[in-house]
Amino acid sequence: MAAKGTRRAAGQAPERTAEAALKMMSGLFRKASQGGGAEGSEAAEMRANRRVRKTGISEGRSGPSVNFATSRPRDPLFYWRQNNLPFQFDDPQQMAQMRAYCRLVYASHPVVGSCVDIYSKYPVLGMKLSCKDERLTDFYSDLFMNEENGLNYPKFMVNMGREYWTVGEVWPLGTFNEALGVWDDEELLNPDDIEVQQSPFLRDPRFLIRLPTAMRELIRTRQPAWEFEKLLQAYPELTYYADDNARMPVSNILLQQLKFEADTFNDRGIPLLYRAMRSLMQEEMLNAAVDSVADRLYTPLILAKLGATASDLGTDVPWIPTMDDLADFEDAVDAALAGDFRIIMTHFGVNMEPVLGREDMPDLSPDFDRLEGRILQTFGLSKTMLAGASSGETYAADALNRDLVTQMLTNYQDELARHYRRRALVVAEAQEHFDYEERAGRRYVKMEEIFEIDEETGEERIVEQPKLLVPDIKFKTMSLQDEAAQTEFFEALREAGVPISMRTRLHNVAIEFDEEVERSRDEAVELAVAEQETRKATYIALRDKGLPIPQDLKADFEARALPEEQDPMQQQPDGMRVPLLGLDPTGSQPTLAPTMQDLQTTPADGGVVVPGSVPEPVDADQGGGGGPEESDEQRESMPKQSALADVTGLVLNAERMRRTATLYRPPLRIIAKEKLGEDEAPPAAVERREPMGLYAGPGHVGMRRHLSEDEINEEWSA
């Protein structure tokens, strides 16, 4: 009856109940707004996002009350904060934590590691350089592709891809040799040691780096002493940046940034794996559940009951074991579990059963498959693309995934091509590798116009400078379609009359077109020579044995005299006949036929060799065929000055650019001393705003504008 009265009272006063609930909610909001600290703010947000209701309350009556709250808040940021997942991309500490987690996932996760390796290695397949000047192709191929003395880009770009697809950005730092005008080395820096600063006056941001750990320790400890002295003599400005929090400016020419732009308004790259972070966390939770179940299965909790009731004994008194009985039984169980042969001898008053671990291992394959599919989708892949479709599945979605993968890998190839071109243009300007056009057999430099602003006067002007020429880098076409079908399609177009070259048809084939053409030519020559030698040997064998000789062999190898009227070269315009070598006497000389060496020898005065005369002796230093055959072969393999060296600057020609940079390089900006304190002297590291020393950019960059077009053309024509 009291319960009915309570329900009836509650039904008669709904307005009062609602008013009480509103008062309670307002009180919660007020407390939430007054909460302090990190925990207080989270609790306040929790209270503010969860509605609290209280029913069954009426004035002057006591009755059942129900307190409940709605589900968790739908705020995504609240979810990420509660699960300790970094999401503030502008916070360097959270970004460092995110990159560390992505590196751990790549090293430990089989699917993620395989996807990153595929994305890193597959785009650089078939990488090669091509240019209209083959000598430039050889020069830059040796510089960038050589494994021993070059930059070894086939391996270095794989390392760049691993960083790009794992942590979202790559920081390659190059070391330029001013004396030779080439890159000495290129290495990858840790993104955690780099700071990016935007400038309202510069198009590109400024990069500041932390010195390597080994160099900071050397400056702090000054041990070994000889290394510290050498470092101090070469780069004294580095001593100002030995602190862990100090950042040193570095030239944008030496340090480049390749980033995965997942956030348009962020200066740093966002890891691609961040899209799979929730799936990875859920997968870790599933793994923890599997580990917990496995622990219960292999190390179960056993409950043992020792004793018997009166009904079990058939008496009126139950058997209750004493403490000694329990201790003896526990020792017996421990000995049985520790031994190889396990047996316990006891009476019927024992009951043992596992409390935990009775269940079987649950089948979590559907859950793991679902998460694996989401992780693969992060890279644009699907299971049907990798393992094929099963019954009831189609390839309709795979076509879209294939296009997505193709676009992602193609964009990454463009990033690699831009990085290579920026590196190659620095070398081209130092070596004066200028673009050209041919007119009437001569080469003329191409010019281009640039827009510049004078730093001192602020004057805006357009100037001309020689255009640089560097080989283009080519990669394998990123297409996941069947290459056999693509090849058949090209051949069908070729048969239909479409002019598709052999180079295009062999682009994705591991065949060097130029090398194969040269080999085919050599093989054709060798086959032709071998065929004629076989015919000649056949003629000689038939002649020696007195056997009939075919007419074609007689015509080719049998000696015969040429009729005078059939040889127009023997008749001169004045009617005089030219003497036949070896047949007609020539003055006082005997009628001896000259050798091939006599015919190929040219007198020193440039005259014509008289047939039958004794040729002038040839100096051994002037070349020719006077020496033994091995000398000529060795001379051919000796390095020669390239005929194109004076035109395109293939030889190391950085001296003039260094002199030009010394003459026209603008002075470094100095901070005004009055901006500092009266007694505060600006240190060397503060006076210079631009990078200096080891991390300063090459001084010749941008100096080619001071070279005149007429000077270059005159030098090329010389």
Side-chain angles (χ1 to χ4, degrees), residues 525-543:
V525 172
E526 292 176 359
L527 291 175
V529 172
E531 182 181 0
Q532 295 301 324
E533 288 179 350
T534 302
R535 298 180 70 250
K536 182 177 180 181
T538 304
Y539 167 79
I540 295 174
L542 294 176
R543 184 194 61 184

Side-chain angles (χ1 to χ4, degrees), residues 346-644:
T346 182
H347 41 74
F348 66 92
V350 177
N351 184 14
M352 299 181 64
E353 60 181 1
V355 178
L356 299 177
R358 290 178 297 179
E359 72 275 10
D360 297 330
M361 178 68 70
D363 186 11
L364 301 178
S365 300
D367 297 323
F368 281 105
D369 292 342
R370 176 180 58 85
L371 295 177
E372 182 180 351
R374 298 188 65 179
I375 294 173
L376 288 175
Q377 189 61 39
T378 302
F379 294 90
L381 303 175
S382 62
K383 290 186 178 181
T384 54
M385 291 180 61
L386 303 178
S390 59
S391 60
E393 295 180 354
T394 62
Y395 289 95
D398 294 339
L400 182 60
N401 290 343
R402 184 187 61 196
D403 295 339
L404 174 61
V405 173
T406 301
Q407 293 177 6
M408 293 176 63
L409 296 183
T410 302
N411 293 338
Y412 174 64
Q413 285 183 341
D414 295 339
E415 290 284 345
L416 295 180
R418 281 191 291 269
H419 171 73
Y420 154 77
R421 183 169 180 82
R422 287 193 292 261
R423 293 291 194 226
L425 289 177
V426 177
V427 178
E429 187 168 3
Q431 303 296 333
E432 300 184 8
H433 295 166
F434 301 140
D435 198 359
Y436 60 88
E437 59 181 358
E438 294 186 2
R439 297 195 300 268
R442 290 184 55 184
R443 294 186 176 183
Y444 296 89
V445 63
K446 285 186 177 180
M447 305 295 289
E448 62 180 1
E449 295 181 348
I450 61 171
F451 175 79
E452 68 174 13
I453 301 176
D454 194 341
E455 296 183 358
E456 297 182 357
T457 62
E459 178 185 0
E460 299 178 353
R461 56 178 178 266
I462 298 177
V463 297
E464 284 190 345
Q465 65 181 8
K467 186 178 180 180
L468 298 177
L469 176 62
V470 296
D472 297 328
I473 189 169
K474 302 292 184 181
F475 299 98
K476 181 179 179 180
T477 303
M478 290 293 98
S479 177
L480 300 182
Q481 298 178 354
D482 190 2
E483 293 186 359
Q486 185 178 5
T487 303
E488 293 178 0
F489 178 67
F490 283 169
E491 295 299 331
L493 291 178
R494 177 73 176 181
E495 294 178 358
V498 179
I500 301 178
S501 64
M502 291 186 178
R503 293 180 184 271
T504 302
R505 293 151 64 188
L506 298 177
H507 180 67
N508 290 338
V509 183
I511 295 177
E512 290 292 339
F513 180 76
D514 297 334
E515 294 182 1
E516 295 300 327
V517 170
E518 185 176 355
R519 291 176 182 175
S520 301
R521 181 175 62 249
D522 296 341
E523 289 177 358
V525 172
E526 292 176 359
L527 291 175
V529 172
E531 182 181 0
Q532 295 301 324
E533 288 179 350
T534 302
R535 298 180 70 250
K536 182 177 180 181
T538 304
Y539 167 79
I540 295 174
L542 294 176
R543 184 194 61 184
D544 294 343
K545 293 184 178 182
L547 298 176
I549 301 175
Q551 188 63 31
D552 59 336
L553 296 181
K554 288 183 179 181
D556 292 340
F557 302 106
E558 196 172 74
R560 66 184 186 276
L562 293 176
E564 180 178 353
E565 59 274 5
Q566 294 182 3
D567 190 2
M569 299 301 298
Q570 303 294 330
Q571 191 72 26
Q572 294 292 331
D574 54 359
M576 299 294 295
R577 188 176 65 86
V578 177
L580 296 177
L581 297 178
L583 298 179
D584 298 336
T586 55
S588 60
Q589 301 297 335
T591 57
L592 297 178
T595 62
M596 293 299 298
Q597 178 179 350
D598 298 335
L599 295 176
Q600 295 177 357
T601 303
T602 303
D605 55 356
V608 180
V609 178
V610 180
S613 62
V614 179
E616 295 291 336
V618 180
D619 191 0
D621 297 337
Q622 297 179 358
E629 296 181 358
E630 51 266 273
S631 299
D632 292 338
E633 294 177 357
Q634 294 177 0
R635 187 177 296 108
E636 290 179 359
S637 62
M638 292 176 61
K640 309 177 183 64
Q641 182 178 5
S642 173
L644 218 55

Side-chain angles (χ1 to χ4, degrees), residues 1-18 55-64:
M1 296 297 293
K4 293 182 180 179
T6 303
R7 285 195 296 269
R8 186 167 52 251
Q12 292 175 357
E15 298 179 358
R16 297 180 180 179
T17 304
T55 62
I57 301 176
S58 60
E59 296 181 0
R61 291 181 178 271
S62 62

Side-chain angles (χ1 to χ4, degrees), residues 135-154:
R135 299 179 186 270
L136 280 179
T137 303
D138 297 338
F139 178 84
Y140 284 91
S141 297
D142 292 339
L143 176 60
F144 287 94
M145 305 298 177
N146 196 337
E147 182 178 357
E148 297 180 357
N149 301 323
L151 299 179
N152 194 11
Y153 260 35

